[in-house]
Amino acid sequence: MQSGRVAPVDNSRKEERKREKVKEEKTKAETKAAVVAMTPMLKQFYELKGKHPDAVLLFRCGDFYETYSQDAEKASKILGITLTKSSHTKDADGKPLAMAGFPYHALDTYLPKLIRAGERVAICDQLESKKT
């Protein structure tokens, strides 16, 4: 006969999953709001970020990989790169958009640092459009 005890529940894991879910939902909401009035490039960034909310999105812009918003803040801290704020472009909260980037040829240096810091990383490279 069982003594009526309940097996202990790992509350810390449940709380962590709950926090991650809230964070993911917040990112999705910010993404949806931000896409409304943006440049085509930022619109594409936020659409991709909405599909990969748990990853730092490295977005190829010309000769640089750029990060924006919360990703820029993370990348700046982890990689020791400059965090800038746009005076022209606003984020979903109407504040200047945070940006941080590095030259594309330095990807082999910076990508391992992000991964070692425990970050998931999504990389978006530019593709040439088909010529008709």
Side-chain angles (χ1 to χ4, degrees):
M1 188 166 166
Q2 294 182 355
S3 64
R5 285 193 216 162
V6 177
V9 177
D10 187 354
N11 286 332
S12 62
R13 239 188 215 169
K14 283 185 178 180
E15 287 298 317
E16 185 177 334
R17 280 195 296 254
K18 191 175 180 180
R19 282 192 300 272
E20 286 298 317
K21 184 74 174 167
V22 167
K23 185 177 171 185
E24 191 173 305
E25 291 301 318
K26 181 182 175 195
T27 301
K28 284 181 182 179
E30 287 173 352
T31 299
K32 193 172 185 179
V35 169
V36 175
M38 301 232 157
T39 65
M41 184 210 59
L42 275 179
K43 197 174 218 180
Q44 184 181 22
F45 173 85
Y46 279 112
E47 286 171 357
L48 290 168
K49 184 63 181 172
K51 292 177 183 177
H52 306 282
D54 60 336
V56 172
L57 180 57
L58 301 179
F59 195 77
R60 178 81 181 261
C61 296
D63 290 340
F64 287 84
Y65 280 106
E66 295 288 347
T67 58
Y68 300 100
S69 197
Q70 294 174 341
D71 286 354
E73 292 172 15
K74 279 185 194 176
S76 174
K77 287 178 187 169
I78 294 168
L79 304 176
I81 58 177
T82 302
L83 178 68
T84 61
K85 302 228 179 197
S86 172
S87 58
H88 302 291
T89 308
K90 306 294 181 198
D91 66 11
D93 297 326
K95 298 176 185 170
L97 180 68
M99 303 179 293
F102 56 85
Y104 76 95
H105 57 77
L107 182 63
D108 290 342
T109 300
Y110 289 119
L111 182 58
K113 289 181 181 183
L114 288 167
I115 293 169
R116 279 193 301 267
E119 296 296 333
R120 291 190 63 198
V121 180
I123 300 172
C124 178
D125 264 314
Q126 293 174 322
L127 299 176
E128 287 188 33
S129 57
K130 292 182 179 180
K131 296 184 179 174
T132 54

